[in-house]
Amino acid sequence: MLTQRQFLVALVLLSIALKLWLVSAQPIVAHANASFDDRLYLALAEQLLKGNWLGPYSQFTLMKGPMYSLFIAGSAWLGIPLPIGQHLLYLVGCALLVLALRPCFRAGWQAVALFALLWWQPMSYVELDIVRQNIYTPLTLLLFAGLCALETRRAANPWIRLAWGALLGVTASSFYLTREEGVWVVPGALILLGIAAWNSGRAGEWLRPLLVPMLAAIICASGILATVCALNYRNYGWFGTVEFRAREFLSAYGALQRPIPSENIPYVPVTRAVRLKLYEVSPSFAELKPCLEGPVGLEWASYSDFLTGRPGEELQIGGGSFVWALRDCVIASGHGSNAQEALTFYGSMAEEINRACDEGRLGPTRGRRDRMMPAWRGDSWKRLRQMTPEYIAEFFLFDGFSAYPTPSWGSADLLELFRDLTHWQLAHSDEAPELDPPTQSRLDHYRLATLEVIGEANRWLCVAVVISGLFAWAWAAGCMIRQRTVGYLFVFSSALLGSALAVVVVNLLVHVLAFRNRGPTALHEGYPLLVFFGVTAWMATMDRPRPNKVTAE
């Protein structure tokens, strides 16, 4: 006769096995020509496996964080198919986040129910491309697990606190090295750090229980980041992580957007008319003219004509494309033997353009801006008002779910890299039918159909949990205001909601100002935070606040 604990453990294991079996029918959707995304991560992973760090320097080498390529290389080295490795990382994220919050639960079934909902949330298996979100979302869960443990494991023995601190440090550095727009995590992180410090102080502990995990986190994070910077310095002459975070690059990109154009073209950060003026005041930028006003500029303008509404021949390069055109032309002009040389060139360009703007040689200009975010323009408010309701609705309704793959695209020569490094079947490509498996079994069709049905059902369950959780959170807030006490579950749910909304804000601004940026891929890391928020908000309504009571489990 199984005990309740054994039954719950068996249920969890069965749930894990069932999902892994079902998602094994999903192929990888390979975009073989995506040299700035899918193929880039695999190309860098291939260099890592050869022992060449990230390979020879080019405009691609340091433009995105290396962590996803490191994960791909690690999975290939261990012989783990990439999709399975990604699902296992998500599994660890779900398990450790629930485990970190376990001391706040009143019964074991609550932890199991929360894990099952998080594990099966439909957006966890909707992304079949080779994109960074596949590890970014699990890293988000692990980051919140480490932050949560600062409070819930505050009374644990030092070794347990050390382990949770190490998890926080490793995850934080990996998160930082995966994508470049992680500012959205700040609201939740600050709330959880603040409540841990506040409760420690109120208990008369003067932050002593936090010293061990925080010191472990700082040492682990610093060690990983310093190692990556040192490897980049050794191979490319620059001590840093990603060029998009380099001061010289940010200054140059911001300076290019300072002149106010006579004609505002939506989604065009630097119009052609502005570029022609900049060539006259910046000798460095003038070196790029044959490239930006030639074949490279035409290629990127044609690529973004759907966004700008202008034919490619007008050379109006849209947001999301201009940055790549700029980097292509810097390398083509002979300033790319290593990262330090390229960044020195960007620094010179920024200095020349900023000086011209400050001296009034370019007409009306904006203030100095050393950042990537496109400038706010007159019609931006209108687009924001028009797009916000639908954008938020898509997020809260988990819109865009599908368990079925879209076709791959690319020739067999290019697709072989995907197949060989991922150790997984690829979705059909019309250009490479010879790479298709001999036949797709009826069982695979059944598994995909089952995933679709389960996903649609879970989608509406998640929507109900989230929407009702908003009302539960408001009710809990009112109760705690009347009682003048704050429970940890309420604080934790608030942190999750804050970061989930920040995900929406950051991506919405990109959608309004730079390029079309919506759907599950853009908002991927926000969905599990929403689900976890909804459940913990309901739990907070039943919580009897015990702000200073923590467990040593």
Side-chain angles (χ1 to χ4, degrees), residues 365-497:
T365 61
R366 304 177 180 92
R368 178 157 182 156
R369 40 185 296 114
D370 296 346
R371 55 187 182 274
M372 292 283 294
M373 181 63 72
W376 193 265
R377 303 182 182 185
D379 61 344
S380 298
W381 281 114
K382 180 181 178 181
R383 291 208 305 274
L384 181 65
R385 289 192 300 269
Q386 291 173 341
M387 296 176 178
T388 296
E390 184 179 1
Y391 201 91
I392 293 176
E394 287 184 2
F395 181 53
F396 279 87
L397 295 178
F398 290 68
D399 199 28
F401 165 77
S402 176
Y404 291 106
T406 57
S408 297
W409 44 267
S411 65
D413 290 341
L414 294 176
L415 287 174
E416 283 178 355
L417 177 65
F418 286 73
R419 185 193 59 188
D420 295 344
L421 276 184
T422 63
H423 303 295
W424 203 249
Q425 69 270 23
L426 305 182
H428 169 76
S429 170
D430 290 336
E431 300 172 65
E434 64 269 30
L435 296 183
D436 291 346
T439 57
Q440 186 177 26
S441 69
R442 294 180 62 185
L443 179 59
D444 284 345
H445 288 290
Y446 171 78
R447 286 192 288 177
L448 288 174
T450 302
L451 272 177
E452 184 74 14
V453 171
I454 292 175
E456 280 294 337
N458 276 336
R459 174 193 169 196
W460 292 111
L461 175 61
C462 289
V463 169
V465 167
V466 172
I467 301 300
S468 64
L470 291 171
F471 291 99
W473 181 87
W475 175 265
C479 292
M480 291 180 184
I481 290 173
R482 290 194 299 270
Q483 298 170 1
R484 297 184 180 181
T485 55
V486 179
Y488 186 72
L489 280 172
F490 176 79
V491 174
F492 188 74
S493 67
S494 301
L496 295 173
L497 179 60

Side-chain angles (χ1 to χ4, degrees), residues 52-314:
N52 299 330
W53 186 224
L54 300 176
Y57 180 76
S58 70
Q59 65 268 45
F60 308 111
T61 311
L62 299 179
M63 70 183 187
K64 295 185 177 182
M67 187 51 64
Y68 189 40
S69 295
L70 285 165
F71 183 84
I72 294 172
S75 298
W77 184 71
L78 292 172
I80 301 174
L82 180 61
I84 297 300
Q86 292 169 167
H87 282 293
L88 290 176
L89 183 62
Y90 182 73
L91 170 63
V92 172
C94 295
L96 289 184
L97 183 53
V98 173
L99 179 63
L101 200 61
R102 174 65 181 86
C104 298
F105 300 154
R106 296 180 179 276
W109 67 266
Q110 293 177 321
V112 172
L114 181 53
F115 170 81
L117 188 60
L118 199 61
W119 173 236
W120 282 97
Q121 70 90 7
M123 295 307 185
S124 65
Y125 56 89
V126 72
E127 188 55 73
L128 305 182
D129 300 353
I130 305 294
V131 290
R132 295 179 288 180
Q133 285 83 345
N134 289 322
I135 67 166
Y136 197 51
T137 299
L139 288 173
T140 298
L141 299 181
L142 290 169
L143 181 60
F144 274 92
L147 291 167
C148 176
L150 293 175
E151 169 64 17
T152 61
R153 308 294 165 164
R154 187 156 47 86
N157 71 61
W159 290 109
I160 292 177
R161 287 184 282 128
L162 179 68
W164 282 105
L167 171 70
L168 177 59
V170 171
T171 303
S173 56
S174 300
F175 182 90
Y176 183 79
L177 292 170
T178 300
R179 287 184 64 90
E180 291 72 58
E181 83 301 354
V183 65
W184 60 264
V185 83
V186 172
L190 289 179
I191 290 173
L192 296 181
L193 287 170
I195 194 64
W198 173 262
N199 284 340
S200 179
R202 288 190 63 193
E205 297 167 336
W206 300 107
L207 306 182
R208 286 191 299 272
L210 303 182
L211 292 179
V212 169
M214 289 305 297
L215 185 61
I218 291 171
I219 290 174
C220 290
S222 300
I224 292 172
L225 292 175
T227 299
V228 171
C229 291
L231 287 168
N232 285 340
Y233 181 78
R234 176 184 176 184
N235 289 275
Y236 312 119
W238 176 62
F239 191 84
T241 56
V242 180
E243 286 178 333
F244 280 7
R245 292 192 178 109
R247 176 182 54 81
E248 297 90 343
F249 183 82
L250 292 174
S251 296
Y253 198 78
L256 289 168
Q257 298 183 72
R258 286 188 65 183
I260 299 175
S262 57
E263 178 189 13
N264 275 324
I265 304 176
Y267 299 110
V268 177
V270 184
T271 65
R272 185 165 190 260
V274 167
R275 296 201 307 270
L276 295 177
K277 290 182 180 180
L278 291 173
Y279 296 136
E280 298 176 2
V281 299
S282 172
S284 297
F285 189 59
E287 294 184 42
L288 310 184
K289 183 176 181 179
C291 184
L292 280 175
E293 310 308 323
V296 171
L298 177 61
E299 178 183 359
W300 283 109
S302 300
Y303 181 79
S304 58
D305 59 359
F306 74 98
L307 185 66
T308 64
R310 302 296 181 93
E313 292 75 15
E314 291 188 16

Side-chain angles (χ1 to χ4, degrees), residues 299-371:
E299 178 183 359
W300 283 109
S302 300
Y303 181 79
S304 58
D305 59 359
F306 74 98
L307 185 66
T308 64
R310 302 296 181 93
E313 292 75 15
E314 291 188 16
L315 294 176
Q316 303 293 357
I317 305 173
S321 294
F322 181 74
V323 66
W324 310 127
L326 176 67
R327 292 178 64 81
D328 282 350
C329 290
V330 169
I331 297 298
S333 64
H335 296 284
S337 62
N338 58 46
Q340 187 58 59
E341 180 184 345
L343 290 174
T344 298
F345 178 80
Y346 286 119
S348 299
M349 185 167 62
E351 182 180 355
E352 293 163 2
I353 295 174
N354 280 323
R355 185 188 307 118
C357 290
D358 294 339
E359 294 173 356
R361 287 184 281 148
L362 289 167
T365 61
R366 304 177 180 92
R368 178 157 182 156
R369 40 185 296 114
D370 296 346
R371 55 187 182 274

